[in-house]
Amino acid sequence: MSDITELVGRYLRTWNETDPAARRAAIDELWAEDGTYVDPMGVAEGRDAIDATIAAVQAQFAGLTFSLAGAVDAHHDIARFTWHLGPAGGEAIVVGFDVAVMNGDGRIASVLGFLDKVPA
């Protein structure tokens, strides 16, 4: 369980990484080459698309950070967790719930995201 919790922490840190080269290196290390990210706003297939999605979210919500909002619940190679996006130490502007599925080599194969709170 602690390995998956650490992996989720690394996953959230990639969403906060604003240096493009460092973010891409983290994505390449963390995600399977054919990984997919799906949420109500769109679908990203492959590392290039995942990187572009994260960059777009950072541009839309500049200065805000992602944080884990509670414990990671996991079994087998599947984890679910709630996250917040907001100013450091402030109230969350966006709240989401993700389900991450890992592949056999410990990388993320897919993330299915749900948005519980979004700005009007």
Side-chain angles (χ1 to χ4, degrees):
M1 175 70 155
S2 63
D3 289 344
I4 291 180
T5 299
E6 171 57 27
L7 185 127
V8 168
R10 289 172 45 214
Y11 164 78
L12 288 174
R13 286 191 295 277
T14 64
W15 285 88
N16 293 328
E17 180 56 67
T18 56
D19 177 82
R23 181 180 61 240
R24 183 52 192 253
I27 289 169
D28 289 347
E29 182 180 309
L30 187 60
W31 284 84
E33 192 171 334
D34 61 349
T36 59
Y37 175 83
V38 179
D39 72 14
M41 306 306 290
V43 175
E45 297 177 329
R47 292 174 180 163
D48 290 343
I50 291 164
D51 190 18
T53 297
I54 293 172
V57 168
Q58 289 177 350
Q60 182 177 3
F61 297 101
L64 304 181
T65 58
F66 286 88
S67 60
L68 188 61
V72 175
D73 184 21
H75 62 84
H76 298 83
D77 287 329
I78 303 168
R80 66 177 179 163
F81 52 95
T82 299
W83 50 264
H84 288 169
L85 175 64
E91 182 178 343
I93 294 170
V94 182
V95 176
F97 175 91
D98 286 359
V99 175
V101 179
M102 277 53 82
N103 66 12
D105 70 0
R107 290 191 168 141
I108 298 173
S110 67
V111 172
L112 307 171
F114 298 85
L115 300 174
D116 298 322
K117 175 185 172 185
V118 293

